[in-house]
Amino acid sequence: MEKVIAVLEGDGIGPEIVRESLKALRAIEKKYGHRFTLTPAPFGAGAYFSEGSPFPEETKRICDESDVIIKGPVGLAVEQMSRIPPEHRPENGAILPLRKRYDTFANFRPVRLPKHLASFSPLKPEILGEGIDILMIRELVGGIYFGKKIEGRDADMRFSSDECTYTDEQIRRVAAVAFEEARKRSGRLTNVHKANVLATSRFWNQIVEEVASGFPDVAYRSMLVDNAAYQLVKDPSQFNGVMLLENMQGDILTDQAGGVIGSLGLMPSACIGTVKSYVEPAHGSAPDIAGRDIANPYSMIGSIALMLERCLNLAREASDVWNALFTVFEQGYTTADLSEGPNESRKLLSTSEFGDLVVEYIEKG
Ligand code: IPM
Ligand code: MN
């Protein structure tokens, strides 16, 4: 297969974890005889300082001309961020515009922690049960993050508001994707909402239930978001299968899921769009540890696996990458951000050593 891939390495730990993920991609390319043309482009806070925009026109052109995009985390330390005008900060000036440009409505965030890695989690092993394997699917281009924002002032008060809107079509398409996934895994689907308070959630449930009627084979249930947050910590494996979440609730619960399995560094993601898709880790750029070769590259390498699987339809190649990632842990290695159990003595790896081992296991696998 021949593909053109834009590479936005981003800020902070971005360049170092993207570098490791590209090593894994090159190993796959070689093993299977593909041809991936990688085109780097500036994006994020660094791009604002060097190019005057966090999402420069030239980067847009490179992305438009690519088949798929690999994006690292973006953002710099607070002090530097405060020197960027709000509309040019990476959230509002780069990430949300990227999602909107390619209509990346379905965000896949797999949350996986096999039983034998239970020690990475802050939860007790008996709470983790047989292990965690949840596919969180977050709606990514609608809801409150994309609604009208007001910061106003009247004669006697100041106020602000964020509008939250969903159309039936926006809900239907992401729900359809989630039910298809649940059907493929013959798993249950948990729909998360706040319908006891929000009109958008009541509407969300109505449409999701219309879609559900076309999938009688999928075990469906819905749960209030506050209860889901509680249950995710008390008994996470009850969610094994698919969770469907709107944009903001999904943003919050996917971070919580990272905490449940031990680190946001274990949270890769794919953003599937109608125009184009891209992959990114679910976490930030960790400027405090940037450049020290200690960040865990799992989330970025896992994002490459998701790209192979979900954007390029290369299932075998993707499973090679997943297997290599889990083999690293099975062989008793760890990175600084992951805890080890009381009876373990794991060997500590740097970012680049982790990437080297992944390459080795891809080659052998
Ligand atoms: C994420 C991030 C983004 C989001 C921010 C940086 C805009 O937190 O991808 O989860 O809220 O979607
Ligand atoms: Mn987030």
Side-chain angles (χ1 to χ4, degrees):
M1 167 184 286
E2 287 196 23
K3 291 289 171 196
V4 176
I5 305 175
V7 180
L8 319 177
E9 61 176 23
D11 306 311
I13 59 170
E16 54 203 285
I17 62 173
V18 167
R19 190 186 319 123
E20 299 315 308
S21 75
L22 296 182
K23 279 200 231 166
L25 184 63
R26 288 298 189 203
I28 290 291
E29 179 183 45
K30 195 160 149 220
K31 182 168 172 180
Y32 290 93
H34 298 307
R35 231 186 105 126
F36 299 129
T37 306
L38 306 179
T39 321
F43 185 83
Y48 170 76
F49 289 115
S50 65
E51 321 291 317
S53 162
F55 192 7
E57 289 307 313
E58 173 67 359
T59 298
K60 289 182 184 151
R61 191 187 59 77
I62 289 172
C63 290
D64 286 350
E65 289 171 5
S66 69
D67 295 299
V68 61
I69 302 160
I70 297 170
K71 175 195 153 293
V74 295
L76 293 170
V78 178
E79 195 276 316
Q80 281 160 299
M81 293 290 264
S82 66
R83 291 195 284 124
I84 307 180
E87 69 277 17
H88 288 307
R89 294 200 184 132
E91 295 85 351
N92 287 324
I95 301 180
L96 297 187
L98 175 71
R99 292 174 181 170
K100 192 169 189 152
R101 187 175 189 88
Y102 300 120
D103 193 29
T104 57
F105 67 99
N107 182 208
F108 288 75
R109 296 191 163 178
V111 186
R112 295 171 68 191
L113 195 71
K115 193 179 176 175
H116 68 272
L117 297 179
S119 66
F120 288 170
S121 171
L123 302 181
K124 298 186 194 104
E126 56 270 31
I127 294 205
L128 294 173
E130 289 308 300
I132 299 179
D133 189 4
I134 307 169
L135 178 58
M136 290 186 153
I137 299 183
R138 167 187 175 197
E139 199 292 324
L140 203 59
V141 293
I144 199 166
Y145 288 12
F146 285 88
K148 194 155 99 199
K149 296 176 189 342
I150 298 175
E151 285 168 66
R153 179 190 284 272
D154 272 351
D156 57 355
M157 67 169 179
R158 294 182 297 161
F159 60 90
S160 68
S161 110
D162 291 280
E163 203 172 78
C164 182
T165 305
Y166 267 110
T167 67
D168 51 355
E169 186 43 35
Q170 277 178 321
I171 301 167
R172 199 178 307 281
R173 61 183 185 173
V174 72
V177 164
F179 276 96
E180 290 291 350
E181 281 303 317
R183 172 175 279 170
K184 267 192 244 159
R185 303 169 142 234
S186 7
R188 80 166 350 163
L189 186 148
T190 307
N191 170 43
V192 175
H193 62 88
K194 186 66 185 170
N196 54 350
V197 178
L198 300 177
T200 39
S201 272
R202 284 191 284 275
F203 184 53
W204 174 276
N205 285 356
Q206 201 183 314
I207 305 296
V208 170
E209 272 144 39
E210 282 173 26
V211 176
S213 66
F215 293 82
D217 50 316
V218 171
Y220 170 78
R221 66 169 177 171
S222 65
M223 191 182 280
L224 287 163
V225 63
D226 42 357
N227 185 29
Y230 172 75
Q231 299 287 340
L232 198 57
V233 174
K234 290 287 278 185
D235 178 16
S237 64
Q238 68 173 291
F239 295 104
N240 283 355
V242 174
M243 282 176 94
L244 171 62
L245 308 109
E246 64 85 58
N247 202 345
M248 180 164 165
Q249 294 170 21
D251 187 20
I252 297 168
L253 286 203
T254 54
D255 262 38
Q256 191 190 337
V260 164
I261 60 173
S263 171
L264 272 176
L266 298 176
M267 291 288 292
S269 99
C271 310
I272 305 300
T274 53
V275 181
K276 201 180 296 276
S277 299
Y278 79 96
V279 295
E280 64 180 357
H283 56 72
S285 59
D288 50 325
I289 59 162
R292 289 168 53 197
D293 201 29
I294 58 171
N296 180 349
Y298 176 102
S299 62
M300 200 68 235
I301 303 176
S303 297
I304 295 291
L306 286 174
M307 178 185 85
L308 294 167
E309 177 179 323
R310 306 216 165 252
C311 312
L312 302 179
N313 218 356
L314 298 172
R316 217 159 34 123
E317 287 84 338
S319 87
D320 274 9
V321 178
W322 288 124
N323 289 339
L325 280 169
F326 282 102
T327 307
V328 174
F329 292 134
E330 267 153 36
Q331 296 296 316
Y333 295 101
T334 191
T335 52
D337 61 328
L338 294 172
S339 68
E340 35 179 281
N343 305 318
E344 288 179 273
S345 57
R346 290 181 166 268
K347 291 157 272 183
L348 193 65
L349 293 178
S350 68
T351 311
S352 49
E353 287 166 340
F354 192 104
D356 290 341
L357 270 181
V358 169
V359 167
E360 194 182 313
Y361 296 136
I362 287 174
E363 287 167 352
K364 279 193 204 149

